[in-house]
Every structure is written in structure tokens, then in C-alpha cells.
């Protein structure tokens, strides 16, 4: 019986942590996007969009970098 209770508690904790992580991802997605400003990285009609600019698509590497900057 004790094992069943511990399993239920573990399941509830895992669910709440999962909900917290998905809420943070949704918050990142709703970030207000700025207009793109060309930099030296943009050339020959190929634009390099920075994080937070319209046209930028975050990758896993981008998300890792943004997490490191927040710390």
C-alpha cells in the first residue's frame, strides 16, 4: 500500500513539472518580434535574423544559448 501511495505522489510531481516546462515554452513562443535590421552578417540578399526578429526561427542551439544568457 505504501508503494502505491509513493507511486501516486511521484506521478503527481512528474505531471506538475511537465506542466511547468510546457508553460515556459509557450511563454518563449509569445515573445514580441521586432523588425529585422540588417547587419554585417547579411549579404547578397541573404538575411541573418537575430533572436527576437521577425523571420527568425529558433533551433535547439538557439534555445540553449538563450537559456545560458538568462542565467
Amino acid at each position: 500500500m505504501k508503494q502505491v501511495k509513493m507511486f501516486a505522489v511521484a506521478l503527481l510531481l512528474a505531471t506538475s513539472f511537465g506542466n511547468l516546462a510546457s508553460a515556459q515554452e509557450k511563454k518563449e513562443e509569445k515573445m514580441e518580434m521586432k523588425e529585422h535590421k540588417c547587419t554585417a552578417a547579411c549579404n547578397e540578399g541573404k538575411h541573418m535574423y537575430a533572436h527576437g526578429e521577425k523571420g527568425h526561427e529558433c533551433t535547439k542551439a538557439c534555445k540553449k544559448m538563450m537559456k545560458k544568457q538568462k542565467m
Side-chain angles (χ1 to χ4, degrees):
M1 185 68 173
K2 187 176 182 179
Q3 289 177 340
V4 173
K5 288 180 183 179
M6 291 298 288
F7 177 75
V9 169
L11 186 62
L12 288 172
L13 284 172
T15 303
S16 62
F17 284 125
N19 290 340
L20 186 70
S22 65
Q24 288 177 344
E25 288 175 5
K26 288 178 183 178
K27 183 180 177 183
E28 288 178 5
E29 290 175 8
K30 292 182 181 181
M31 184 174 124
E32 187 175 327
M33 304 297 273
K34 300 174 188 171
E35 290 296 324
H36 171 69
K37 293 182 182 176
C38 287
T39 63
C42 300
N43 60 8
E44 297 179 15
K46 293 182 182 178
H47 297 282
M48 298 298 292
Y49 299 103
H51 184 79
E53 288 184 339
K54 290 180 182 177
H56 173 74
E57 294 182 19
C58 287
T59 60
K60 288 182 180 180
C62 176
K63 289 178 182 180
K64 283 183 183 178
M65 185 173 53
M66 293 309 296
K67 285 181 182 179
K68 287 181 183 178
Q69 288 179 355
K70 288 180 182 180
M71 292 180 167

